[in-house]
Amino acid sequence: LHKEYRRQRQMCIRDRNYVTRAKLSKVTAAIDPVKLAMADFMQGNNGAPPDSADPWTTLGLASGGPTLVPEVSAINIDAGVAGSGGAAGTGGAIKATLANIGPGFDGIVVSWTPSQTANQTVITWTVSCSATTTSASNMTKVFGPNTGC
């Protein structure tokens, strides 16, 4: 009986991790169009992210931002700072507030910060989180290693 109970418990834990990762993947899917629009904008503006009060229309997206999925309660973009003297701009982090994922995840803000060397076409995204969670392995598997989540 003990072995059967333990096996069932391990299966439940495994299933719970699968559901959590599936929900976190929806966060990534919601952010991908914003990252693409940001990359396109930065490449056309010498690596500078948008610095306007309404970054959505500057990026060519609908005013008010993208449609939210249940796992994201808000998506925001930090205002960018244009570079000078051929230097790339800074800022422009895309921030998603997690929701409806589960205890330890809801309310965490995941940030994707772009960086591009002036006159280059490659944009690197650094992912960070406002807090760590007890299930960091799920965050790492979805958002990548060295995220600090």
Side-chain angles (χ1 to χ4, degrees):
L1 181 65
H2 177 69
K3 286 181 185 180
E4 292 171 8
Y5 172 77
R6 187 172 179 174
R7 187 175 305 132
Q8 181 64 36
R9 184 172 184 276
Q10 287 173 333
M11 289 172 58
C12 288
I13 291 170
R14 199 171 320 133
D15 290 346
R16 184 175 39 222
N17 284 337
Y18 174 77
V19 169
T20 299
R21 282 189 216 124
K23 289 181 177 184
L24 290 171
S25 293
K26 290 180 183 180
V27 174
T28 302
I31 294 298
D32 281 345
V34 181
K35 287 173 56 180
L36 182 60
M38 177 75 79
D40 186 47
F41 181 87
M42 289 177 67
Q43 288 176 344
N45 290 280
N46 199 31
D51 59 357
S52 69
D54 183 13
W56 304 118
T57 54
T58 303
L59 292 174
L61 300 171
S63 182
T67 303
L68 299 176
V69 295
E71 293 76 16
V72 178
S73 63
I75 298 175
N76 299 303
I77 297 179
D78 288 347
V81 178
S84 62
T90 59
I94 302 167
K95 296 184 175 187
T97 305
L98 304 182
N100 301 312
I101 294 174
F105 293 96
D106 296 348
I108 290 178
V109 177
V110 182
S111 300
W112 289 263
T113 305
S115 63
Q116 178 185 24
T117 305
N119 302 319
Q120 297 294 316
T121 58
V122 176
I123 293 180
T124 304
W125 295 94
T126 303
V127 182
S128 60
C129 294
S130 62
T132 56
T133 177
T134 55
S135 185
S137 64
N138 284 325
M139 299 287 266
T140 298
K141 287 185 179 181
V142 175
F143 300 125
N146 305 319
T147 60
C149 297

